[in-house]
Amino acid sequence: MKPAATPTAAPTDPLRIKIAGMDCGSCAMTIENSMRQLDGVADVSVSFTTETMELSGNVSEAAIESRLKELGYRIANAADAAPQVVVERHGLSGFVHFLWEQPPLRAALFVTAAMLLGISIIPALGIAAIAGVPALSILFGMGVIVAGLPVFIKGFRALIFARRITIDLLMAIACFGALGIGATGEAVTVILLFMLGEALEAYSAERARDSLRSLMALQPQEACVLEAHADSHGHDHKGHDHEGHDHEAHDHDNHDHDNEAHDHQVIKPVELVRVGDRVLVRPGQRVPVDGDIVKGISSINQAPVTGEDIPVLKEVGDAVMAGTVNGEAALEVRVTRPSSEGTIARIARLVEQAQSERSPAERFIDRFARYYTPAVVALAALVVAIGVFVLGGSLLDTGSERGWLYRGLTLLIIACPCALVISIPVTVVSGLTRLAQLGVLVKSGALLDRLADIRVVAFDKTGTLTHGKPVVTSMHTNQCEHPADNFNECDPCESVIGQAAAVERASEHPVAHAIVSAAGNNGKHVSMAADVEAHPGKGVSGKADCGHKVAVGSRKLFSETQAGLGEVDAFARTAEDDGETVMYVSHDDKVVGYIGVQDEIREDSVRALQELDAMEPEVRTVMLTGDNRRSAERVAGRIVGLDEVRAELLPDEKLAAIKELGADGSAVAMVGDGINDAPALARADIGIAMGGGGTAQAMETADVVLMQDDLSHVPMAIRMGRDARAVIKQNIALSLALKLAFLFLAIPGIATLWMAVIADVGATLLVTLNGMRLLRKS
């Protein structure tokens, strides 16, 4: 199959390659070291958790593939790189099946069986020695060679092509050293235990990777495309897709006349479905591609993508996302994005990119490991030399104590930093993937770690703490005599709101939507104003179809001496006191009225603020809004736990507020809609956008995207960041503690070779399983 990579990498075009065969964190470091030695390579980064390599420079694919083969790895082919249904690895049967699929472990199991058989048969046959060598020692030596050959070859390849000492090389030296000093039984025990440990590590790594694969497995691989055909029959027939492949095709509708267009169903791979195609989604099926409903009404379960557990009713005109599950009725969907750019694909790419980017802690551990292993190897040699030449001890074992060579071999096994290297990435991957499953996208491991530092969270008001769908609740003009909330049958109000809607029609602000919606009630047409000009943080102006200049905005848009302002201001102030957002309207530079809108507070806003208020260490919460102070304070008064309100802020004042909130060194997170708050989101340490179910703009601009628009996910993300940091610290402490403990046990000769292997493998498994605990967090 064709490798999943492009032929060459230009210096400005990093090459991203999937690699097959990595089973530990040390593998990634070995590949990195070796690739750096290729001519033309400028930079390279290998992620063990995502099995990817990103390489910059001018180097051919053939050279890369050749070097990988020399190291014992390969470029993943198209089948490896494509999203597949995740293999079930849970339960005892899945665990046993996975282990049996590992060829090195199968060989080790056969060797174990042969050893047990030999131990039983050889003494019974009376065979004590062969050519002066104990028969069992020969048997054990053969077992070491047969079981350990793949490990030994891999270790020597890493030394030759990557100039790196790996655990495989250390195991080779330890096993051959043990054979040389006559500890054949321990040598075969060590290699068999090591092979079992390697298989267990591979199992743990695959379980962690499965969490990412499960995201891609959500998208169906085929779609039922509706194609119009003009024919003279209404029965089933064979259709052909654009590639010429045959597929079953069935009439979608009943037809009473010949020679009219029929909708035929053609099953196609999602990669061949084009924008504009119509797709049939039957009840209970997953939506195969992103699109808009053009026929039908049904409930859509969005939990697989956004984490939202309550199905959402969707009808004609509504958007649906790939990977969501259709409910009770068939839907006809018009495709709006190719499968490669759909919601699921974008989420998976972002998560994989986040997992492959190393956090500062990971980079530190990688640098530490580069020096740790050579240092411990040197220490092992020094221990042997001092023990023999300075202390006068025996090089080989004596009847009463371990020889110094044996102790040095034990130290070699302890020199492997596998547990230390894998302790951080497996934790970061688990945290990022779990958040993605719950509907929160965090764009890198560094940002996940930064979430743990957050001490201030700033919220925008409209569309964030509130639903962002305000409605017009009051209105008054200088010609009105009715109460402000009884404006529906007032001709002057109708005229003013129509003119306001004309200039607001092009705006994406929720208040503008409310005005346009109110003006369009009862089927009234809202025309578009000409020469529309936005006044950031203040309002908008333009020329209505009557040819007159119309301006709509907050009090800041108008001067204190503006004509007509005094007649309207008293009514507007009353509306503000009631918590409404007030927009003044002027006609030819004369204020003619105001429009009051009000928004409902999200239920999850209250829950989120309460959870943040209860956190330890304490998290301070602030509302930043361009709305008037009375309206902002009225909203704040209905939310328990909000510490501070800053109102009537222009965009540059929001930026200044973010800077001021972090002036004491506190890490600040800003939560907004990802559109109107883009500057503040960019300035904050962590920008958190309300994703609206996965809008492309929110995904691109923010550090964190809330796919479900649920603010209670903000404290959840901060908790995950803190939990991840705590687990990383636990893993590092555990790895180093076990290494130090066995270091002090090996030097006096207390620790044995097989104990050192168990400690090394055990530490790696413990930190992996500890990191994977985050996959169960909620």
Side-chain angles (χ1 to χ4, degrees), residues 172-197:
I173 296 172
C175 286
F176 285 117
L179 290 176
I181 63 176
T184 55
E186 282 204 64
V188 73
T189 302
V190 162
I191 195 62
L192 292 177
L193 286 173
F194 179 75
M195 299 305 294
L196 176 61

Side-chain angles (χ1 to χ4, degrees), residues 331-630:
L331 294 175
E332 187 177 312
V333 175
R334 189 173 301 280
V335 180
T336 55
R337 292 192 190 105
S339 63
S340 60
E341 296 300 323
T343 303
I344 286 292
R346 297 202 317 274
I347 291 174
R349 276 200 302 271
L350 285 172
V351 174
E352 185 174 33
Q353 178 184 343
Q355 292 179 352
S356 62
E357 291 181 4
R358 291 173 181 166
S359 66
E362 284 182 82
R363 289 193 290 269
F364 170 77
I365 290 297
D366 285 349
R367 289 194 301 270
F368 175 80
R370 295 182 194 279
Y371 300 102
Y372 169 81
T373 300
V376 178
V377 170
L379 176 63
L382 186 63
V383 165
V384 174
I386 291 175
V388 175
F389 298 110
V390 177
L391 302 179
S394 173
L395 181 65
L396 303 178
D397 291 357
T398 64
S400 58
E401 64 177 16
R402 296 287 186 189
W404 285 98
L405 180 57
Y406 184 96
R407 303 180 198 190
L409 294 175
T410 305
L411 281 176
L412 287 182
I413 297 176
I414 298 171
C416 176
C418 285
L420 200 58
V421 170
I422 203 174
S423 61
I424 297 178
V426 72
T427 305
V428 171
V429 165
S430 298
L432 292 173
T433 306
R434 182 55 180 159
L435 284 174
Q437 291 170 344
L438 295 171
V440 180
L441 295 182
V442 181
K443 289 191 174 179
S444 74
L447 291 171
L448 179 65
D449 183 68
R450 189 60 170 156
L451 278 168
D453 294 324
I454 295 299
R455 296 295 180 270
V456 180
V457 180
F459 294 90
D460 179 45
K461 180 177 77 71
T462 304
T464 303
L465 291 173
T466 63
H467 283 288
K469 296 179 180 178
V471 294
V472 175
T473 50
S474 72
M475 186 176 173
H476 199 84
T477 75
N478 52 18
Q479 300 178 40
C480 294
E481 296 180 357
H482 58 76
D485 59 353
N486 187 21
F487 58 88
N488 289 323
E489 298 181 0
C490 173
D491 291 337
C493 286
E494 182 177 326
S495 174
V496 168
I497 201 169
Q499 294 176 33
V503 295
E504 290 280 21
R505 186 174 167 186
S507 174
E508 291 298 322
H509 197 280
V511 171
H513 289 175
I515 293 173
V516 173
S517 177
N521 285 342
N522 302 319
K524 299 171 186 173
H525 174 69
V526 178
S527 60
M528 176 78 78
D531 301 330
V532 175
E533 180 182 356
H535 306 278
K538 297 178 181 179
V540 64
S541 61
K543 287 186 178 180
D545 55 4
C546 57
H548 297 280
K549 179 182 177 182
V550 176
V552 184
S554 66
R555 180 69 176 267
K556 292 181 180 180
L557 185 62
F558 306 95
S559 69
E560 292 294 331
T561 58
Q562 191 101 11
L565 182 62
E567 300 174 43
V568 175
D569 203 36
F571 296 97
R573 296 286 187 183
T574 300
E576 288 182 345
D577 290 340
D578 289 337
E580 296 181 17
T581 296
V582 168
M583 305 297 286
Y584 292 84
V585 182
S586 71
H587 185 275
D588 286 337
D589 294 326
K590 178 182 179 180
V591 176
V592 295
Y594 85 89
I595 301 171
V597 299
Q598 198 163 27
D599 199 359
E600 290 299 317
I601 294 173
R602 295 176 182 270
E603 293 180 4
D604 51 80
S605 298
V606 179
R607 187 166 65 254
L609 271 293
Q610 289 174 342
E611 290 183 24
L612 289 169
D613 186 55
M615 276 189 168
E616 292 293 340
E618 181 183 358
V619 176
R620 180 180 165 208
T621 53
V622 183
M623 178 199 293
L624 303 180
T625 179
D627 210 343
N628 68 78
R629 177 160 294 279
R630 291 188 185 90

